[in-house]
Amino acid sequence: MKPKITLKDIARELEVSISTVSKALKNSEEISRDTKEKVQAFAKLYNYKPNNIAISLKNKRTKNIGVVIPAIVHHFFTTVIRGIEKYANAKGYNVIVCLSEESFDREVINMEMLANGSIDGFIMSLSSETQLKGDYNHLKEVTEQGIPLVLVDRVTNEVECDKVIIDDELGAYVATKKLIEQGRKKIALITTDDYLSVSKARTEGYKKALLESKMDIDESRILKLSTMEMDEQGIQDFFKNNDVDAVLCVNEIFTVYSMRLVQNKGLNIPEDISFIGFTDGLLSQYANPSLTVIAQHGEKMGEISAQMLIDKVESEDEEETFQTKILEPTLVVRESTIN
Amino acid sequence: MKPKITLKDIARELEVSISTVSKALKNSEEISRDTKEKVQAFAKLYNYKPNNIAISLKNKRTKNIGVVIPAIVHHFFTTVIRGIEKYANAKGYNVIVCLSEESFDREVINMEMLANGSIDGFIMSLSSETQLKGDYNHLKEVTEQGIPLVLVDRVTNEVECDKVIIDDELGAYVATKKLIEQGRKKIALITTDDYLSVSKARTEGYKKALLESKMDIDESRILKLSTMEMDEQGIQDFFKNNDVDAVLCVNEIFTVYSMRLVQNKGLNIPEDISFIGFTDGLLSQYANPSLTVIAQHGEKMGEISAQMLIDKVESEDEEETFQTKILEPTLVVRESTIN
DNA sequence: TTGTAGGCGTTATCAT
DNA sequence: ATGATAACGCCTACAA
């Protein structure tokens, strides 16, 4: 085993001072060619690499960014992480991922762990429990300490910081419009509780489209489910009790599960009933029929978040100016709607 | 803005020495009740939290573990990460996730970044490019430096370290047996190139089952595809040129895509043709028909990896004894096979 | 009971 | 051209 070598080791071996070694390795003009070559050769031979931790302590910069998200077994968040990784790695940053699993407590614990020097800034998406509680003190504390924070997708107005979201209202609006244009009259919405920022916005988009087309908003056609688990029974009951000819769902799973139910009832998609979902993931692509969806561009959101965060981390000035970047969703038409 | 407070700050304010503060906060017996209370109250008031970086430097322990995996937009790896997070967080460790995106170079770069003090140990799954090249020097260097390493799922014999895998051969064997028992005579295998450790093992399990049942191995019924991208054309051609009554696929996507093709040809699943896939993910659960699969227990694998790694990190003794944990896959029967 | 000093590995400033 | 010193924040053996 050959343990890591330090400046001190090199200095001792070569019988020079530590600072000479440090300078030599940085190719400083102060050091003679001779010494530099000797030091550099030795360093290469023993594969010297500076210790990140020591540098972090010195610079008060870790080159780590903390990402706290509610879940990872969801295609959307997965793409966000990928986007963050892509940009961050290119800039020489590592990404520390923590999962809140939709729990307020775990969100708080994770942030506290990371906030004590482990990271230069946070990118996060709020857990549903946090949005339900409406308690954002852990976020405020972090920003008060001067740690940059970027909220992505699931955000709140209660905290002043940079934000990256897609226009969820627009997405739902466009989707609903599409269904209306195709002559659908009884359009249902399957969503999650309103305390989730995204669900609220989507419900509004849905209603806006209906109103604009002078269609009634029938609250019984709006099904609100828990974020936490997949409530299959709830969906079954809904389709048992409602007669609809189109459905907008706020995620892939609701969509695919609903499609199976109506298919088993003998209905044809999209002839008898159309479906549009949110998130352009694997399920959407490989479902049968494949799903028409509102694509959320998670990877792009991740990249932009990372960019905003790193810009702030690396900027010298202390001016507190925050921006919210709103991306446009895209309608991807596949087989679950009439083309 | 209230920046982080340090021991030094507290010492200055309270006009005591830094070490007194340090001891007081640790409730040391050496310090008088009076002083302790004063210091602790002050610390709480100003929300003092020790700086992780300084502690890491001192202890030569970061409480971070590095995870390097080929991809994240795959359900299996996602569950592995979740398992790692679960165990690691419970033990007070953070998880730094790096994606190699199946690239050898990115795998090397990421490991080097992390190996310079940022982490206490690695959990990784080899990129396909690495397995193709067969170059494992970056892993060897890490282990030679005394950094614990656990390989998970995609492993190699070339490196001596702890490993966690499932018995892929057994999985494929069990699946193939199942198909044979149901009277299938023309069983195809859709897999990826043999240089991937898991694919090789699965192919062997498939062949073993056939041989055991005295069935011929028809190489033309074995389709090998690239790991990198989804070769839809390759699958289409395969089904055009081959007449099969059952298919074993090494992942969900191959399975679901294949099912669509044969469905479009007018075949019924599972009456005319059966399918079994690997990985029990969302696609399997929500495909139509839902998939019979070999579940790989990714979350369990992640937990065990984290446990093995942290045990090693925290163990005092230097003895180099490595183990390979082999989990048993599980056959989950759903609609894509006859029950 | 409290304080001093040295060290973790690095860098930067200021001598020599 | 080279080296000594202090500092980042914390801990701890040893003095006082």
Side-chain angles (χ1 to χ4, degrees), chain A residues 143-316:
Chain A
T143 55
E144 272 174 16
Q145 283 175 25
I147 303 178
L149 166 67
V150 177
L151 284 179
V152 56
D153 193 55
R154 299 214 207 145
V155 305
T156 174
N157 288 325
E158 305 272 315
V159 182
E160 291 209 338
C161 64
D162 288 328
K163 287 157 200 170
V164 180
I165 53 178
I166 63 154
D167 192 335
D168 281 292
E169 183 178 326
L170 177 63
Y173 172 84
V174 166
T176 311
K177 272 288 186 188
K178 170 90 182 174
L179 295 169
I180 295 171
E181 280 164 18
Q182 298 186 339
R184 302 304 180 174
K185 301 294 182 201
K186 294 168 291 186
I187 303 173
L189 172 68
I190 301 184
T191 180
T192 52
D193 296 298
D194 270 353
Y195 57 77
L196 267 196
S197 55
V198 295
S199 300
K200 186 146 172 271
R202 290 172 193 172
T203 304
E204 278 160 11
Y206 161 83
K207 289 183 175 173
K208 188 174 155 199
L210 291 183
L211 289 175
E212 216 176 88
S213 303
K214 308 258 187 299
M215 292 170 71
D216 289 341
I217 290 170
D218 181 346
E219 292 287 344
S220 73
R221 285 203 191 114
I222 300 179
L223 175 61
K224 291 183 184 172
L225 299 170
S226 155
T227 341
M228 315 295 182
E229 83 248 32
M230 173 63 183
D231 179 6
E232 305 195 342
Q233 193 58 50
I235 299 184
Q236 286 175 32
D237 293 346
F238 180 79
F239 280 101
K240 200 169 294 167
N241 303 325
N242 284 275
D243 174 35
V244 301
D245 58 12
V247 187
L248 174 62
C249 300
V250 296
N251 63 39
E252 294 183 303
I253 296 184
F254 289 173
T255 322
V256 175
Y257 188 76
S258 301
M259 291 205 313
R260 294 201 63 172
L261 287 182
V262 307
Q263 280 174 327
N264 290 346
K265 277 170 71 175
L267 296 180
N268 289 319
I269 304 170
E271 293 78 8
D272 305 325
I273 179 168
S274 296
F275 283 86
I276 298 184
F278 267 80
T279 303
D280 187 20
L282 292 176
L283 275 177
S284 307
Q285 291 169 53
Y286 293 104
N288 192 5
S290 58
L291 294 189
T292 293
V293 293
I294 299 296
Q296 296 171 94
H297 309 299
E299 189 162 339
K300 192 90 203 159
M301 291 178 80
E303 276 177 60
I304 292 176
S305 310
Q307 188 179 44
M308 289 171 87
L309 183 70
I310 292 175
D311 277 357
K312 197 133 279 180
V313 166
E314 296 186 344
S315 87
E316 309 297 320

Side-chain angles (χ1 to χ4, degrees), chain B residues 17 19-20 23 30 32 35 58 60:
Chain B
S17 78
S19 62
T20 302
K23 289 169 187 166
E30 300 178 32
S32 71
T35 314
K58 178 116 251 284
K60 289 154 165 273

Side-chain angles (χ1 to χ4, degrees), chain A residues 17 19-20 23 30 32 35 60:
Chain A
S17 77
S19 57
T20 301
K23 287 170 186 163
E30 298 180 38
S32 71
T35 314
K60 288 153 163 280

Side-chain angles (χ1 to χ4, degrees), chain B residues 52-244:
Chain B
N52 288 333
I53 298 292
I55 291 178
S56 295
L57 184 59
K58 178 116 251 284
N59 297 345
K60 289 154 165 273
R61 283 281 191 77
T62 61
K63 285 256 178 184
N64 288 156
I65 77 187
V67 174
V68 182
I69 52 168
I72 197 177
V73 195
H74 275 352
H75 186 269
F76 172 69
F77 285 119
T78 257
T79 56
V80 172
I81 293 183
R82 191 197 222 178
I84 295 174
E85 282 273 351
K86 190 169 158 190
Y87 189 89
N89 275 8
K91 287 279 186 176
Y93 284 74
N94 289 313
V95 177
I96 300 185
V97 176
C98 288
L99 308 178
S100 62
E101 306 281 5
E102 304 288 9
S103 144
F104 174 80
D105 290 341
R106 298 212 48 197
E107 190 173 289
V108 173
I109 291 170
N110 280 321
M111 288 196 72
E112 282 179 353
M113 278 185 75
L114 296 179
N116 303 140
S118 299
I119 49 91
D120 295 338
F122 281 107
I123 296 176
M124 63 177 306
S125 197
L126 298 166
S127 80
S128 60
E129 214 188 7
T130 303
Q131 294 207 57
L132 175 56
K133 281 184 89 154
D135 182 347
Y136 305 107
N137 285 312
H138 51 308
L139 304 196
K140 288 174 187 162
E141 274 183 18
V142 152
T143 54
E144 272 174 16
Q145 282 174 26
I147 303 178
L149 165 67
V150 176
L151 284 179
V152 56
D153 193 54
R154 298 212 207 148
V155 306
T156 174
N157 287 326
E158 305 272 314
V159 182
E160 290 210 338
C161 65
D162 288 328
K163 289 159 200 169
V164 180
I165 53 179
I166 63 155
D167 192 335
D168 281 291
E169 182 178 326
L170 177 63
Y173 172 84
V174 167
T176 310
K177 272 286 186 189
K178 170 90 179 171
L179 295 170
I180 294 170
E181 280 164 18
Q182 298 185 339
R184 301 306 181 173
K185 300 295 181 200
K186 292 167 291 184
I187 303 173
L189 171 67
I190 301 184
T191 180
T192 52
D193 295 300
D194 269 353
Y195 58 78
L196 267 196
S197 56
V198 294
S199 300
K200 186 147 172 270
R202 289 171 194 173
T203 304
E204 277 160 11
Y206 161 83
K207 289 183 176 174
K208 188 175 156 198
L210 290 183
L211 290 176
E212 216 176 271
S213 303
K214 309 260 186 301
M215 292 170 71
D216 289 340
I217 290 170
D218 182 346
E219 292 288 344
S220 73
R221 286 203 188 114
I222 300 179
L223 174 61
K224 291 184 186 174
L225 300 169
S226 155
T227 341
M228 314 296 182
E229 84 248 30
M230 173 62 185
D231 179 5
E232 305 194 342
Q233 192 59 50
I235 299 184
Q236 285 175 34
D237 293 345
F238 180 79
F239 280 101
K240 200 168 293 163
N241 303 325
N242 285 275
D243 173 36
V244 301

